[in-house]
Amino acid sequence: MENTLKTKSNAKKINLQSCDEPCLIERGMRILGGKWKASILWHVKDGPVRFNELSRMLGGASKKMVDQRLKELESQGLVSREVICTRPIAVTYEITDFGRTALEILEKLKDWTEENKL
């Protein structure tokens, strides 16, 4: 059985074979596409941000959700967490060099949204 399908123009072929692993787009979306993750990265791009300040910036996100997403981003190496005071606990979050590599993608997404009035 052939794994490709010819299009009408014969200029392109469509791959019908499903991959065993997620494709590169899907893998990237699993990292950046989680709810609030891209917004968090965008808000920490200019320097360290304290947790409560970040929660206020995100508006509709619960503190539990922000905490959960920050832990995911930290475990993926996109943000770093620094404890600045232990009593009461105060932490800041900052984008890492690896996290900065995603900013160009987010900038293009922002531009695309503006250009298409979405």
Side-chain angles (χ1 to χ4, degrees):
M1 185 170 93
E2 191 174 329
N3 289 328
T4 58
L5 176 69
K6 292 181 182 178
T7 61
K8 287 183 181 179
S9 67
N10 290 332
K12 295 182 183 179
K13 292 184 177 184
I14 301 171
N15 186 356
L16 297 177
Q17 184 179 13
S18 62
C19 54
D20 294 332
E21 297 179 21
C23 69
L24 295 174
I25 296 293
E26 181 60 31
R27 288 173 26 204
M29 288 301 295
R30 287 181 183 182
I31 294 172
L32 296 178
K35 191 166 187 178
W36 302 109
K37 290 170 98 176
S39 295
I40 290 170
L41 280 178
W42 192 256
H43 287 297
V44 299
K45 70 181 171 57
D46 295 324
V49 180
R50 293 193 50 184
F51 178 83
N52 285 331
E53 183 183 357
L54 183 58
S55 293
R56 282 190 295 275
M57 287 178 183
L58 295 172
S62 70
K63 287 188 176 191
K64 180 180 177 183
M65 178 64 73
V66 174
D67 181 59
Q68 193 175 16
R69 293 304 179 246
L70 282 166
K71 286 178 180 172
E72 290 172 14
L73 289 166
E74 185 181 9
S75 72
Q76 294 166 328
L78 296 165
V79 299
S80 62
R81 178 182 186 263
E82 181 183 353
V83 177
I84 55 175
C85 184
T86 57
R87 297 208 183 249
I89 187 88
V91 298
T92 61
Y93 293 89
E94 189 170 8
I95 195 165
T96 63
D97 289 338
F98 176 56
R100 288 198 178 285
T101 63
L103 292 178
E104 185 178 339
I105 298 164
L106 298 179
E107 182 74 36
K108 286 181 180 181
L109 179 62
K110 181 182 79 70
D111 293 344
W112 178 79
T113 303
E114 286 175 350
E115 288 168 10
N116 291 286
K117 297 175 179 48
L118 300 174

